[in-house]
Amino acid sequence: MLIIFFISLVVLMFMSVPIAVALGLATALGIGMHETLPLMTVAQRIFISINSFPLMAIPFFILAGNLMQVGGLSKRLVNFASSLVGHFTGGLAMVAIITSMFFAAISGSGAATTAAIGAILIPAMIAKGYSKEYASANQAVSGALGVIIPPSISLILYGVVAGVSVSELFIAGVFPGLVIVVSLLIMAYVVSKRNGYTGMEKSTPKEIFTAFRKSIIALLMPVVILGGIYGGYFTPTEAAVVAVFYGFVVGVFIYKEIKIKQLYKVLVDSAVTTAIVMIIIGTAGLFSFYISITGVPELIMTLISGLTTNAIIFLLIINLVLLIAGMFFDGAAAILIFTPLFLPAAISFGIDPVHFGIIIVVNLAIGLVTPPVGLNLFVAAQISGISFSRLSKAIMPFIVILIVDILIISYVPAISLWLPGFLE
């Protein structure tokens, strides 16, 4: 029965059937062949999978990110980051990284971060003399911070599946995100020094203050959202609603860059994205239920225990599997599929569930910039006008840096766990 299930799933995926549909059809086939489960279980488990209060945060964070994208926040963040680091060697590349870090704390999405910041900075970098390949690759990787820096939709998904506090996951994502930011800044400096990518004119203290003043409302949003969560004023789900209200007020009444007629498109785009994510969550939840009742997690634990009893080797295996999975799976689907498979084994090796969640999410963030289906690569390539194959070659040095980062994050748990422990 399990063999037929997995064969049907692989066949559907090789036929390029959307992952949500493939999971749903293959699992429905497996349940239909089960001796005791009625077919009605399919509809019941899909509904149960999406009937979760924490999941309500997802559509609101998606809407908040879209409001921020069209509300003028991105260009103000770019101007502020330019005033801070634009004068360094490789200044514009560093601006892309720093601004993406700021915007990631607003949008929670890698693709949204790449699109919003890349639309401004990729053309600016090219005009400054940066190669199209480097400008696009740098922005695509910087955009991946959107799923690591809190608030993150990926961390919400993991928290729901693993039964882990979303608030803890959010705060745990801060230092791993900063590790990646620092490594990318170092790489930007080295590459720019070698290729002669000079900085811009140094901003005066007055210009820095002016840029800060104009961006202060945008910069305050993550402070309000995360401060409210950790201060106990509202839950992550309620924080998502606050983010929508904040983005609406700022974009419509303060910056006045969102016109009423634009709101319809923002709402439609957000609804479509939410529907796609929720369909994946529903069918992946059905998949998780089926593999749990058929004993697949126990089989995986037995297999891994036969390979190694060493937590270091276990993490190496998990990172390798997740890096490969990220090349082909949508991030949301991968979290929902692999968390129930690997989390029990991780706990048996003494790995904290919060730390393990960060490991999973960072690996799948790398998947956003890994060919053949890296979403951020498609977004960046469309903005710069270069081919996907050229960008895929340019991204390879960045992937090496990110792999080093994930190994550091994996083997130094304090990077993820110190801040949550400190705030307890």
Side-chain angles (χ1 to χ4, degrees):
M1 184 169 58
L2 271 175
I3 294 175
I4 295 175
F5 162 72
F6 280 112
I7 289 175
S8 64
L9 180 60
V10 171
V11 169
L12 288 168
M13 290 174 61
F14 271 105
M15 292 172 61
S16 298
V17 174
I19 184 66
V21 178
L23 282 174
L25 290 176
T27 309
L29 176 62
I31 289 175
M33 296 171 57
H34 198 276
E35 296 175 355
T36 58
L37 289 176
L39 203 55
M40 186 185 300
T41 305
V42 174
Q44 290 175 337
R45 296 310 305 187
I46 289 176
F47 176 78
I48 290 170
S49 298
I50 60 176
N51 185 28
S52 168
F53 180 72
L55 286 180
M56 289 179 64
I58 293 177
F60 288 111
F61 274 128
I62 289 172
L63 176 56
N66 286 338
L67 286 169
M68 296 299 174
Q69 192 171 340
V70 300
L73 277 77
S74 54
K75 66 181 180 183
R76 288 169 174 81
L77 292 173
V78 167
N79 291 338
F80 177 54
S82 297
S83 71
L84 292 177
V85 299
H87 61 282
F88 291 114
T89 299
L92 274 181
M94 294 183 181
V95 169
I97 298 164
I98 297 294
T99 310
S100 294
M101 178 183 70
F102 289 147
F103 197 82
I106 295 173
S107 72
S109 165
T113 303
T114 303
I117 308 303
I120 300 171
L121 282 174
I122 290 178
M125 290 177 69
I126 294 170
K128 184 69 177 175
Y130 290 78
S131 69
K132 286 186 176 182
E133 291 82 359
Y134 177 74
S136 304
N138 182 73
Q139 183 57 66
V141 172
S142 301
L145 292 167
V147 301
I148 304 169
I149 300 286
S152 160
I153 293 171
S154 296
L155 290 175
I156 294 171
L157 289 177
Y158 174 83
V160 171
V161 177
V164 176
S165 165
V166 174
S167 299
E168 276 194 65
L169 288 166
F170 277 3
I171 198 66
V174 172
F175 282 168
L178 292 177
V179 167
I180 295 173
V181 168
V182 170
S183 68
L184 292 178
L185 289 173
I186 293 171
M187 182 177 183
Y189 178 82
V190 172
V191 171
S192 299
K193 191 77 172 177
R194 186 178 62 202
N195 293 311
Y197 299 148
T198 59
M200 302 178 291
E201 185 178 345
K202 188 173 182 178
S203 298
T204 64
K206 182 179 179 181
E207 289 171 334
I208 295 174
F209 177 77
T210 300
F212 172 75
R213 180 175 54 80
K214 290 182 178 179
S215 64
I216 185 64
I217 296 176
L219 293 170
L220 278 176
M221 181 180 175
V223 176
V224 171
I225 300 306
L226 299 178
I229 293 173
Y230 304 125
Y233 296 105
F234 38 72
T235 67
T237 303
E238 292 164 345
V241 179
V242 173
V244 171
F245 177 76
Y246 193 103
F248 176 80
V249 171
V250 170
V252 176
F253 299 109
I254 299 178
Y255 290 161
K256 298 180 180 179
E257 296 205 16
I258 300 180
K259 308 304 178 187
I260 297 300
K261 62 181 181 182
Q262 291 178 288
L263 287 177
Y264 176 77
K265 185 177 187 306
V266 169
L267 290 169
V268 169
D269 290 345
S270 300
V272 170
T273 304
T274 299
I276 293 170
V277 173
M278 288 301 179
I279 290 171
I280 294 172
I281 291 172
T283 55
L286 174 66
F287 167 82
S288 299
F289 166 76
Y290 179 71
I291 63 169
S292 66
I293 65 168
T294 51
V296 174
E298 289 78 9
L299 290 174
I300 290 176
M301 286 180 64
T302 302
L303 176 62
I304 292 176
S305 299
L307 292 173
T308 182
T309 56
N310 188 308
I312 294 175
I313 303 300
F314 168 76
L315 282 175
L316 195 61
I317 294 171
I318 292 300
N319 280 318
L320 182 61
V321 170
L322 291 173
L323 283 171
I324 294 172
M327 296 170 63
F328 303 99
F329 282 86
D330 172 82
I335 290 169
L336 294 162
I337 292 169
F338 291 105
T339 297
L341 287 176
F342 295 137
L343 182 58
I347 293 173
S348 72
F349 276 96
I351 299 167
D352 189 282
V354 172
H355 179 214
F356 192 66
I358 298 300
I359 292 172
I360 289 180
V361 169
V362 174
N363 268 291
L364 298 176
I366 298 175
L368 289 172
V369 295
T370 308
V373 292
L375 181 58
N376 285 16
L377 296 182
F378 285 103
V379 174
Q382 186 176 19
I383 294 171
S384 63
I386 67 171
S387 67
F388 185 81
S389 59
R390 284 171 61 190
L391 183 51
S392 297
K393 293 177 183 177
I395 205 71
M396 291 306 165
F398 289 90
I399 292 176
V400 172
I401 296 296
L402 292 176
I403 289 174
V404 173
D405 289 337
I406 190 59
L407 291 175
I408 294 171
I409 292 166
S410 296
Y411 294 120
V412 187
I415 295 174
S416 303
L417 300 178
W418 181 83
L419 196 54
F422 177 77
L423 294 176
E424 284 182 356

